[in-house]
Amino acid sequence: MKSVSGKDLARTLESHGWQLKRINGSHHIYGKEGSVVRLSLPIHANQPLKQGLLAHLLKQAGLREEDL
């Protein structure tokens, strides 16, 4: 899996219909219309997300690695 920062993943989520609901510190909370899923996305400058967290967030969002 390729290395992706929180900012890059946020742009990808927004392009797939996810909306920023609120910001709590360095975590951006995203939601999607008609879904109960909330994604807590850490935005720490341009540091890459860890592979396990990235895989979990993609699965929760219903996205694949190719969508990045």
Side-chain angles (χ1 to χ4, degrees), residues 13-52:
L13 288 173
E14 289 171 2
S15 71
H16 284 88
W18 291 85
Q19 300 172 347
L20 181 63
K21 297 294 184 183
R22 65 182 180 277
I23 298 174
N24 189 2
S26 64
H27 289 77
H28 293 208
I29 312 300
Y30 282 87
K32 193 170 186 177
E33 188 73 31
S35 174
V36 296
V37 175
R38 292 291 182 260
L39 300 175
S40 178
L41 185 59
I43 308 285
H44 298 273
N46 272 334
Q47 291 182 357
L49 298 172
K50 294 190 176 182
Q51 297 301 308

Side-chain angles (χ1 to χ4, degrees), residues 2-8 42 44-51 53-54:
K2 69 180 188 176
S3 180
V4 177
S5 72
K7 288 181 182 180
D8 293 336
H44 298 273
N46 272 334
Q47 291 182 357
L49 298 172
K50 294 190 176 182
Q51 297 301 308
L53 176 60
L54 178 58

